[in-house]
Amino acid sequence: METLFDGYSNTRETPRVRKGAAAWDEMFPKTDKPGNPRAPYKELYNALAQMSQEELRGRTEALASSYLAQGVTFDFAGEERPFPLDAVPRVIEADDWNNVERGVQQRVKVLEMFLADVYGPQNAVRDGVIPAKLISTSSHYHRQAAGIRSANGVRIHVAGIDLIRDQQGDWRVLEDNVRVPSGVSYVISNRRVMAQTLPELFVEMSVRPVGDYPYKLLQALQASAPDGVDEPTIVVLTPGVYNSAYFEHTLLARLMGVELVEGRDLFCSNGRVWMRTTAGPKRVDVIYRRVDDEYIDPLQFRPDSILGSPGMLLAARLGHVTIANAVGNGVADDKLVYTYVPELTKYYLGEEPILPNVDTWRLEEPAALEEVLDRLDELVVKPVDGSGGKGLVVGPDASKDELDALRERLIADPRGWIAQPVVQFSTIPTLVEDGMRPRHADLRPFAVNSGDDVFVLPGGLTRVALPEGELVVNSSQGGGSKDTWVVGPIDERPGKGKREHVSVSDLVAGQATLESDELDSTSQTSHESKASLPSVLPQDHDATKRHQQQEQQQQSTEEGVN
């Protein structure tokens, strides 16, 4: 064990940490040296004690090779690389997770009510809870979506709520993702390989499985179908193979037993959406779209888009198709709206937020702007419509020229930015080139809303910044991931049930989702009526344009891990 954690304690302080509070280490108390882990990590620590650094590194390399063979990759500077998975999982105790689960459920409910309000009566604006100008100036508020409502009233079918632990170990919401959040495919893939790598620990630690996610998503999509449709036809709409999340699109379509389509597979007629199949047109009732708003309907947004289908929004307005997630959800992702969520929670639910925000300055307020300009070298500044870490500036790491340029941008467009203190994300032991070292991590729990219940996937995606001291966890900045284990007895609230004893083989089999051949019974489309795949068409005159638009969307919209 000494060799595996050799030097770990000596690297828990970086120059940035020495200027402020130290990060909260999830495995070891701050005052302790490796050898006395926190309670949730004791069994994992004991298992690691039996391994050498070389053995653990060998397992990590095997995971990378497995991912490369499966196509679980991401694009980095034009090169396909296996998505980094660290062999040391993150562990969260049941009581701790129950609080996270309730907080995420509350957050989703509030954002649902906010979206229904902002595209409807706008009571929160009328009552002075949130400024009208904030809504009208949000780049993701789309008037075209006003008045469109799914049959069961759900707009946020899938949410990814990004969380961090602060210096005291308390969970805080970092940002909301309710447009087209991605990353759940890595949760499923991570669990598959980790369950095969450490099967005994899954039994000993009572790790909750993640295999229910595709089924829960399918149920939620079915529940959102138009009125009168008992057996809805559901499709996953992808921008195409050049999108960085294409692996996820294909995986979810396969595991749900539904068709994966591109915009050219669909057409609209008589206010309805149809899918081209080898057996003729087939009506589509629910579209789980992974195409951004601006590309989904050229009649309403970008007229040059070939990633969506003309007339899709009209079909949704007429109640003939459900688009999930709903068009226009991005206004709830606006980082200035984020600052009002605590007030919105009290307004809509009459409750205090279970999960607090990170303290944030609204730069459109003159006093806040003045303070932030005086402290730029101490703060993190973010564009309000950014995602994936794009445009973020960490003041302590920025040069004088970068701060001067940022100052000019803030003065010119204060509405476009927020500022936050540099929060030391919690650290988790991670195997890097120098050995086992503390690295900063965040957490994206995924929530699925059926209208009757908000299901929160146990654990979610832990993203870890691999460079020392780095706080940006995105893979494009050198980040990786960890499997996230929620351990301990299942909460015995009504409807939760109790854990039954299972064998090692049964538990491993249930940890991740069944493969597609085991889901044939849930498939709603026979082999005879498969969608006519665009890739086999003899001519594709729009191929270059399609490629360009897929890459454009990838750069700006999908709220993913990249």
Side-chain angles (χ1 to χ4, degrees):
M1 197 60 180
E2 294 179 358
T3 56
L4 191 58
F5 283 93
D6 184 35
Y8 187 87
S9 297
N10 298 331
T11 59
R12 291 172 66 177
E13 288 194 0
T14 65
R16 183 189 293 150
V17 167
R18 287 192 286 271
K19 295 179 182 178
W24 195 81
D25 193 87
E26 300 202 12
M27 184 178 280
F28 301 108
K30 182 172 61 175
T31 57
D32 289 348
K33 295 181 179 180
N36 185 23
R38 299 183 192 274
Y41 281 89
K42 284 185 177 180
E43 290 175 274
L44 176 63
Y45 178 86
N46 291 335
L48 293 175
Q50 310 303 316
M51 301 182 195
S52 65
Q53 186 178 131
E54 290 71 22
E55 182 181 355
L56 188 59
R57 195 174 299 280
R59 293 193 181 201
T60 301
E61 292 172 354
L63 296 178
S65 298
S66 172
Y67 269 19
L68 192 61
Q70 296 176 55
V72 187
T73 62
F74 72 102
D75 181 82
F76 185 84
E79 176 186 353
E80 284 297 314
R81 298 185 179 182
F83 189 71
L85 170 61
D86 187 67
V88 180
R90 177 186 226 156
V91 182
I92 303 174
E93 277 189 310
D95 288 344
D96 194 11
W97 176 252
N98 291 340
N99 185 65
V100 169
E101 180 184 48
R102 287 190 291 268
V104 170
Q105 289 170 335
Q106 181 194 59
R107 192 94 177 183
V108 171
K109 291 175 183 176
V110 170
L111 294 176
E112 276 280 11
M113 297 176 76
F114 167 71
L115 287 168
D117 189 14
V118 80
Y119 285 108
Q122 297 199 351
N123 292 325
V125 172
R126 182 199 63 205
D127 293 339
V129 180
I130 193 166
K133 186 178 179 181
L134 187 157
I135 304 301
S136 62
T137 57
S138 175
S139 61
H140 296 295
Y141 173 69
H142 297 309
R143 297 182 186 278
Q144 299 93 321
I148 298 178
R149 184 181 184 277
S150 67
N152 65 346
V154 174
R155 296 187 61 93
I156 305 172
H157 302 80
V158 178
I161 308 297
D162 290 350
L163 309 177
I164 56 99
R165 282 189 189 270
D166 62 17
Q167 291 94 325
Q168 289 73 45
D170 296 326
W171 293 103
R172 290 181 178 268
V173 177
L174 188 64
E175 64 179 47
D176 303 298
N177 301 286
V178 296
R179 282 177 286 171
V180 280
S182 67
V184 75
S185 59
Y186 296 121
V187 177
I188 296 171
S189 300
N190 288 354
R191 182 56 54 86
R192 282 177 177 168
V193 295
M194 289 297 291
Q196 295 168 358
T197 303
L198 301 169
E200 294 80 5
L201 275 179
F202 278 87
V203 176
E204 293 173 9
M205 298 178 66
S206 299
V207 180
R208 297 188 191 175
V210 299
D212 283 347
Y213 183 86
Y215 177 65
K216 292 289 188 180
L217 176 57
L218 182 61
Q219 283 187 314
L221 296 175
Q222 290 170 336
S224 71
D227 290 332
V229 178
D230 296 327
E231 297 183 5
T233 296
I234 300 169
V235 299
V236 176
L237 176 62
T238 177
V241 297
Y242 298 107
N243 185 269
S244 61
Y246 184 72
F247 165 76
E248 176 158 307
H249 308 164
T250 59
L251 179 69
L252 290 177
R254 188 173 75 245
L255 294 176
M256 287 192 293
V258 306
E259 293 290 356
L260 178 71
V261 300
E262 295 184 29
R264 52 186 166 165
D265 291 322
L266 305 176
F267 69 94
C268 299
S269 177
N270 296 323
R272 289 177 168 82
V273 180
W274 304 83
M275 173 173 57
R276 295 183 174 92
T277 78
T278 54
K282 182 170 185 177
R283 177 176 164 175
V284 174
D285 304 300
V286 181
I287 300 171
Y288 178 42
R289 55 92 176 218
R290 302 302 290 263
V291 173
D292 185 66
D293 290 353
E294 284 77 13
Y295 292 88
I296 201 165
D297 187 340
L299 296 181
Q300 299 291 332
F301 298 106
R302 285 186 51 157
D304 65 334
S305 173
I306 56 177
L307 301 183
S309 181
M312 192 179 295
L313 214 60
L314 174 61
R317 184 176 300 281
L318 293 173
H320 295 157
V321 72
T322 299
I323 301 174
N325 282 353
V327 173
N329 279 12
V331 65
D333 289 349
D334 188 309
K335 290 181 178 60
L336 195 54
V337 172
Y338 159 93
T339 67
Y340 287 90
V341 173
E343 288 91 341
L344 293 171
T345 303
K346 298 171 189 175
Y347 177 72
Y348 290 123
L349 299 180
E351 301 172 356
E352 292 292 330
I354 296 171
L355 297 174
N357 283 3
V358 173
D359 296 337
T360 307
W361 284 268
R362 300 167 182 158
L363 301 192
E364 63 174 2
E365 299 174 358
L369 176 61
E370 182 179 359
E371 180 181 357
V372 168
L373 292 176
D374 288 340
R375 300 176 55 192
L376 273 186
D377 60 342
E378 305 172 14
L379 305 175
V380 176
V381 181
K382 303 176 181 180
V384 298
D385 59 355
S387 61
K390 299 180 181 69
L392 179 149
V393 178
V394 180
D397 296 342
S399 67
K400 182 180 183 302
D401 288 344
E402 289 172 331
L403 292 177
D404 289 342
L406 176 62
R407 187 184 309 275
E408 293 180 4
R409 292 198 294 271
L410 299 186
I411 293 173
D413 180 27
R415 164 63 176 86
W417 301 83
I418 61 168
Q420 296 173 332
V422 177
V423 179
Q424 295 294 328
F425 297 9
S426 61
T427 56
I428 309 172
T430 304
L431 187 63
V432 295
E433 186 176 349
D434 296 336
M436 193 72 76
R437 297 291 183 263
R439 290 296 184 261
H440 297 290
D442 75 352
L443 177 66
R444 175 175 290 184
F446 290 91
V448 177
N449 187 4
S450 67
D452 295 324
D453 179 59
V454 177
F455 165 77
V456 183
L457 183 67
L461 179 65
T462 289
R463 300 180 295 181
V464 57
L466 298 180
E468 183 178 5
E470 180 62 69
L471 294 175
V472 180
V473 298
N474 305 87
S475 56
S476 58
Q477 305 296 319
S481 72
K482 288 176 174 286
D483 194 13
T484 309
W485 295 4
V486 176
V487 301
I490 292 178
D491 187 354
E492 295 182 10
R493 285 173 288 161
K496 292 293 181 179
K498 298 181 179 180
R499 178 179 297 277
E500 297 179 356
H501 176 74
V502 294
S503 67
V504 174
S505 59
D506 289 341
L507 189 142
V508 171
Q511 280 295 326
T513 312
L514 298 174
E515 288 290 356
S516 58
D517 57 354
E518 295 174 281
L519 285 169
D520 284 344
S521 60
T522 67
S523 177
Q524 48 188 321
T525 307
S526 69
H527 293 292
E528 289 74 21
S529 62
K530 289 286 185 182
S532 53
L533 297 178
S535 57
V536 302
L537 295 178
Q539 293 182 330
D540 186 0
H541 300 295
D542 292 325
T544 301
K545 187 176 182 180
R546 183 173 293 105
H547 187 170
Q548 291 173 343
Q549 290 189 1
Q550 289 176 31
E551 290 187 330
Q552 288 170 2
Q553 174 176 312
Q554 175 176 322
Q555 293 298 317
S556 62
T557 58
E558 178 127 4
E559 300 156 335
V561 295
N562 299 324

